[in-house]
Amino acid sequence: TACGLGVSGSGWVAARGLVVTNAHVVAGQRDTTVDSAASPPLAAQAVAFDARNDIAVLRVGGLNAPVLPQAEPRAGSAVAILGYPENGPLTAKAGRVGRTSVVLSVNAYGRGPVPRRITSLRGQVRRGNSGGPLLDSAGRVVGTVFAARIEGGAGYAVPPDVVDDALARSRAGSVSTGDCVG
């Protein structure tokens, strides 16, 4: 919950006990949990929180789930867009990777402009896909979904190098998840 509201999103396991999601998914939370098909909900602590790039890393004790490796996105390659849209079951939708570039955008709180690296994609992205992985044909994460285009049929992802930076900054103890997203 954040500011009295239930918030949900998607995520993926980047290392043993570490889940990657978006900063806007966990912003303002003090009681974050991670649901896994293999266990009841598990308590999670933010150990990295980057509002500028809209990425967060959660430490989840007792999580027994496979780690997904990362790879650089290749423009034009096919991907599966995974996530739990609209708080529903796990879905996989076909997509295609676009370009990765530095753009002027907004941060996790809708404030900007801020320069940031993003990867564009074609495919259906819905509310709740935020934090979910884009998987290539080898099962590697080539992006972490953070937004859908207003016109639909496309979206945007955080590229692996930005995720790697967040993983490298993750701490043993928890970090603040900032204010709620308005």
Side-chain angles (χ1 to χ4, degrees):
T1 54
C3 296
L5 300 174
V7 181
S8 66
S10 300
W12 57 275
V13 180
R16 184 176 169 95
L18 293 179
V19 172
V20 171
T21 190
N22 292 129
H24 78 262
V25 170
V26 297
Q29 292 184 18
R30 306 290 180 260
D31 60 351
T32 305
T33 60
V34 169
D35 293 345
S36 166
S39 67
L42 300 168
Q45 292 182 331
V47 293
F49 184 84
D50 179 353
R52 182 173 153 265
N53 290 300
D54 199 3
I55 203 77
V57 178
L58 308 175
R59 183 171 312 285
V60 186
L63 181 63
N64 185 16
V67 171
L68 296 174
Q70 292 191 93
E72 286 304 308
R74 288 188 357 250
S77 63
V79 291
I81 304 165
L82 270 67
Y84 296 88
E86 299 171 10
N87 204 24
L90 178 65
T91 64
K93 296 289 184 180
R96 194 151 305 274
V97 175
R99 292 185 318 200
T100 298
S101 55
V102 176
V103 299
L104 285 178
S105 183
V106 295
N107 67 14
Y109 294 100
R111 297 182 194 120
V114 296
R116 58 189 279 208
R117 278 179 47 83
I118 65 169
T119 300
S120 63
L121 65 113
R122 284 241 171 254
Q124 185 180 32
V125 176
R126 300 185 322 193
R127 184 177 300 275
N129 276 118
S130 293
L134 298 179
L135 294 183
D136 69 8
S137 61
R140 301 172 301 189
V141 178
V142 297
T144 302
V145 175
F146 74 87
R149 276 187 44 174
I150 293 171
E151 298 89 23
Y156 304 97
V158 179
D161 62 320
V162 176
V163 173
D164 285 340
D165 290 346
L167 287 165
R169 288 190 315 271
S170 62
R171 302 176 181 214
S174 63
V175 298
S176 172
T177 57
D179 297 327
C180 298
V181 173

